[in-house]
Amino acid sequence: MAQRHRDHLPEDFSERSLAQDVRAGLTSSPKTLPPKWFYDKVGSELYEEITRLPEYYPFAAEREILLDHAAEIVGAASCRHLVELGSGSSEKTRALIEAVLATTPEGEQAAYRAIDVSDSALHAAADDLAARYPTLDIETVRADFEHGLAQALAVDEGEVFGGRLVVFLGGTIGNQAPDQRAHFLTTLRSDLRAGDAFLLGADLVKSPDVLLPAYDDAAGVTAAFNLNVLEVVNSRLGADFDAADFRHVAVWDAEHAWIEMRLEAVRDVHVRIADLDLEVDFAAGEQLRTEISAKFTRERLQAEFEQAGFAAAGWWTDRANRFSGSLWTPA
């Protein structure tokens, strides 16, 4: 079956984006770095290890939802075309793909479009899916959906696959601040057509006794994952961070209903970032925020989606009610 690739990003997109984010984040107060830079080769391997930790429930909980309810979700969306934002390995999406294939009438075409900024991740996932599902029409799109959503979701003239189910998994929406999330949902709503639907994976508010260990495990894997972002800046921008100068911190912010991951300087630190001609000082105890991970209630999601012009079309949780999958359609 057809396998196509489109690239909407310049070759140096990742390098320019990292430089912009590091300069802006390390010269702001408080200092920040966006979590997308966690995922170099080492960071991706550490994240895979995190998903297997007993404390880290989100990955397994979302996979449980998809395995248990994929057919119901696809039936409610009435779709034959899946579009995944931030697709990565596309591993959890297989349950949805299989449900689409099972319900596509003979003579009609099921399709999957994977959207990600990583060329290597897209090609690896596409090759795997093509081998598993030879009748599936596969398209990979290298795009930054945070800033180029309309381009990533664009439909070619004459392209007809029936309704689309746009999928955004992993609780990644929780990494967006409220104003970013509102902009994303409003933009998404304007880019959907009649008959399309949107499936969101979002983590739910729960006791800090459950949340905090998920981001600060006893084995220290999450700490290593967090500290590795300093090595990313070192290797790609010629910085001289020493990971021993920082420690991993996870904090539950009850007011905003989110976890913050931070790196705290254990002593006064001076860092030079050669490629940016930038020098940065950290006072002992100063913290660099590397991630927010917002947690939601059903009511909060309903309010945010309605504000953006969506109507609720389905709600599922894992058996322990830790994580949610919710379906939304243009109102």
Side-chain angles (χ1 to χ4, degrees), residues 254-270:
E255 179 183 355
H256 294 100
W258 65 44
I259 290 280
E260 288 196 11
M261 289 212 312
R262 306 171 184 171
L263 293 172
E264 181 178 279
V266 298
R267 58 186 67 86
D268 291 345
V269 177
H270 179 80

Side-chain angles (χ1 to χ4, degrees), residues 6-267:
R6 289 191 287 129
D7 196 329
H8 292 306
L9 299 177
E11 282 190 23
D12 64 347
F13 172 79
S14 180
E15 288 70 23
R16 287 195 290 111
S17 295
L18 176 62
Q20 290 166 2
D21 286 346
V22 169
R23 182 180 296 279
L26 295 189
T27 57
S28 66
S29 182
K31 296 181 176 70
T32 64
L33 284 176
K36 63 185 176 183
W37 302 115
F38 284 138
Y39 299 97
D40 68 341
K41 184 176 186 297
V42 172
S44 296
E45 290 170 352
L46 286 168
Y47 178 71
E48 289 299 316
E49 190 174 345
I50 287 170
T51 66
R52 298 188 290 270
L53 293 170
E55 298 98 329
Y56 191 76
Y57 63 86
F59 185 89
E62 184 175 49
R63 183 172 56 188
E64 181 184 300
I65 293 169
L66 296 172
L67 291 174
D68 286 354
H69 301 290
E72 188 180 349
I73 292 167
V74 167
S78 187
C79 66
R80 297 193 304 281
H81 186 182
L82 293 176
V83 180
E84 184 169 13
L85 307 179
S87 53
S89 68
S90 303
E91 180 186 348
K92 284 183 290 190
T93 323
R94 293 175 199 160
L96 295 170
I97 291 171
E98 290 169 9
V100 168
L101 287 168
T103 56
T104 299
E106 188 175 350
E108 298 187 14
Q109 182 63 60
Y112 172 66
R113 177 185 292 183
I115 300 169
D116 204 285
V117 296
S118 171
D119 224 18
S120 58
L122 285 168
H123 288 302
D127 289 345
D128 176 71
L129 293 174
R132 290 175 182 272
Y133 312 113
T135 64
L136 182 69
D137 186 277
I138 299 170
E139 181 180 29
T140 53
V141 180
R142 182 171 173 259
D144 175 17
F145 69 82
E146 290 184 347
H147 302 104
L149 190 58
Q151 194 176 35
L153 293 178
V155 178
D156 294 335
E157 187 176 351
E159 182 181 8
V160 180
F161 289 114
R164 298 178 299 174
L165 176 57
V166 180
V167 179
F168 193 24
L169 300 177
T172 309
I173 197 166
N175 297 147
Q176 299 175 344
D179 58 335
Q180 294 173 312
R181 199 162 58 240
H183 176 72
F184 167 74
L185 292 176
T186 302
T187 303
L188 175 66
R189 169 63 186 86
S190 68
D191 293 327
L192 295 184
R193 306 173 300 177
D196 289 343
F198 178 59
L199 177 67
L200 177 70
D203 201 2
L204 298 175
V205 171
K206 57 188 69 65
S207 168
D209 293 339
V210 176
L211 285 167
L212 284 169
Y215 294 85
D216 192 11
D217 61 277
V221 183
T222 310
F225 174 72
N226 195 10
L227 287 161
N228 182 66
V229 76
L230 302 179
E231 298 304 323
V232 172
V233 179
N234 285 350
S235 63
R236 295 185 58 181
L237 293 177
D240 60 359
F241 278 105
D242 185 343
D245 289 335
F246 295 85
R247 72 180 186 96
H248 166 69
V249 177
V251 177
W252 169 243
D253 183 333
E255 179 183 355
H256 294 100
W258 65 44
I259 290 280
E260 288 196 11
M261 289 212 312
R262 306 171 184 171
L263 293 172
E264 181 178 279
V266 298
R267 58 186 67 86

